[in-house]
Amino acid sequence: MKSRRGIALMAAMWLVVAIAVVALEFSLAARDRRVLGLAASDRGRNRAAALGALATMQARMEYDLRNGPSAAATGVSGLRSSDPWLDADSLYSGPVYVDSMPVDVVAHDLGMGVNINTINEASLRLLLGFVLGDATTADRISQAIMDWRDADDNPRTNGAERDQYLKDNVLMLPTNGAFREVDDLINVYGVTPDLLELIRPYVTTHASAAVRVNLNTAPEPVLRSLTGMTDQILNQIVALRSSGRRITSVAQIMTATNRGRPVGGGGRGAQPTPQEQRLQATQTALTNATTVNTTDVELTFYVRDPTRLQPAKLVAVISRVGTNQSNISWQLW
């Protein structure tokens, strides 16, 4: 009898232990699910906040298009009467509150840079040469960037393709495709962190092929990379901007550069001179590559959460449609 009672007692104890173990497993699973549920809830809330901020900024930018400063305004406000998105980097950067939740916004006029995925090699070499102040390094880096982008594995004379990366035991190999972010340039052969920081302000990967360089806001290195740009034309652009005047067309610059004479302005039926033909070709090239308005603005939204190391991030491009409307032409989480 005692033996049977002992066995029964041991069985009961094991049953209690088994029940406790099962209960603990359920408890741990429930806790894990709760943590995952809270994390998903936080992510959903942060995404909603970022999307709310995007809708707010788009509405604000469209309002400015419709109700910008009057033509009678002076200074920067007067310039914005013709281009309500002028100086977008400061105009639309700052905190936005969505249901009392702060969202940090960083705005950038895409017309102030060039797309590293679409710029041609000659223009890229000019840009890097001015930024880096070293023609040899600029040539080497521009060829390496083009080798990374192009579809083949044949290196340029001073570039680098897959074999060179493997030879140097580099983990990241050329993708033979477009760069997703500007930060990806650090993987290009010869690009150091210091070089990347020098290049970063003048390039983007988020602008479409239709985005043109803004003559009223683009920095000098970007202007110098334009096909047909000369020191004389560049000096005229800088002079107009420094005096607080807005550039309204490429023809305005060319006329001022040509000592007040309109390009191709010979008499009716007169054969243009070789110089006039060159000036006309330059004007056409610059007209095709530039704009005088801010047409595309990149907005980066940061939703900071004390429970997460990295903030939620949304990048979107708002593009002008017509004179007073806009659309979200691109976005990425």
Side-chain angles (χ1 to χ4, degrees):
M1 289 293 293
K2 290 182 179 181
S3 176
R4 291 181 180 178
R5 282 199 297 268
I7 293 173
L9 180 59
M10 289 294 294
M13 291 178 63
W14 278 111
L15 180 60
V16 171
V17 171
I19 293 173
V21 169
V22 171
L24 179 60
E25 289 181 352
F26 275 117
S27 176
L28 292 175
R31 187 189 66 177
D32 291 342
R33 287 174 182 155
R34 180 176 178 274
V35 171
L36 291 173
L38 290 174
S41 175
D42 289 340
R43 286 196 298 271
R45 180 190 61 184
N46 294 342
R47 288 173 68 93
L51 290 172
L54 173 57
T56 299
M57 291 304 300
Q58 184 180 12
R60 177 179 167 187
M61 294 171 71
E62 283 199 358
Y63 177 86
D64 289 344
L65 288 176
R66 298 188 183 98
N67 305 281
S70 65
T74 59
V76 175
S77 294
L79 295 175
R80 286 195 182 128
S81 65
S82 299
D83 182 7
W85 289 359
L86 182 68
D87 199 22
D89 289 36
S90 59
L91 189 63
Y92 299 117
S93 293
V96 172
Y97 289 87
V98 179
D99 193 21
S100 75
M101 189 173 184
V103 179
D104 293 329
V105 183
V106 178
H108 180 60
D109 173 10
L110 289 178
M112 294 177 65
V114 295
N115 191 333
I116 199 70
N117 290 319
T118 57
I119 187 172
N120 63 52
E121 185 176 340
S123 295
L124 180 58
R125 187 182 298 109
L126 286 172
L127 172 67
L128 297 184
F130 190 79
V131 171
L132 304 180
D134 183 343
T136 301
T137 301
D139 179 62
R140 177 168 49 82
I141 298 299
S142 62
Q143 290 193 41
I145 289 174
M146 299 305 292
D147 279 338
W148 185 285
R149 274 174 36 188
D150 64 25
D152 60 59
D153 290 324
N154 302 317
R156 290 167 169 77
T157 303
N158 296 316
E161 277 286 4
R162 180 185 180 89
D163 289 345
Q164 184 66 54
Y165 288 79
L166 292 172
K167 179 181 178 181
D168 289 2
N169 296 317
V170 178
L171 294 178
M172 293 297 297
L173 302 178
T175 60
N176 292 343
F179 294 94
R180 190 168 183 265
E181 299 288 345
V182 172
D183 285 341
D184 294 341
L185 287 171
I186 194 63
N187 298 318
V188 173
Y189 193 80
V191 176
T192 65
D194 289 341
L195 286 180
L196 176 59
E197 292 310 309
L198 290 174
I199 299 169
R200 186 190 300 278
Y202 308 107
V203 298
T204 182
T205 59
H206 299 159
S208 69
V211 177
R212 300 177 179 182
V213 171
N214 190 338
L215 290 177
N216 284 299
T217 61
E220 187 172 343
V222 173
L223 294 173
R224 282 188 178 274
S225 72
L226 295 172
T227 301
M229 182 60 66
T230 64
D231 288 341
Q232 192 176 10
I233 297 173
L234 181 61
N235 290 338
Q236 186 61 43
I237 293 173
V238 173
L240 288 171
R241 285 165 43 168
S242 299
S243 64
R245 296 174 60 187
R246 182 174 181 275
I247 299 170
T248 59
S249 67
V250 173
Q252 173 193 8
I253 303 167
M254 298 301 295
T255 299
T257 304
N258 199 29
R259 299 179 181 179
R261 298 190 298 272
V263 174
R268 180 176 297 178
Q271 186 71 20
T273 65
Q275 181 183 7
E276 288 175 336
Q277 291 178 346
R278 287 194 298 272
L279 289 173
Q280 184 61 57
T282 297
Q283 178 171 321
T284 300
L286 291 177
T287 299
N288 291 336
T290 63
T291 180
V292 295
N293 292 314
T294 307
T295 59
D296 298 83
V297 178
E298 176 190 272
L299 298 172
T300 305
F301 301 88
Y302 298 96
V303 184
R304 307 192 184 279
D305 188 334
T307 64
R308 302 180 64 187
L309 293 177
Q310 296 294 332
K313 178 182 175 181
L314 170 64
V315 183
V317 175
I318 295 183
S319 302
R320 190 187 302 198
V321 180
T323 57
N324 58 11
Q325 292 184 324
S326 69
N327 66 13
I328 301 172
S329 58
W330 182 89
Q331 71 179 57
L332 175 71
W333 288 98

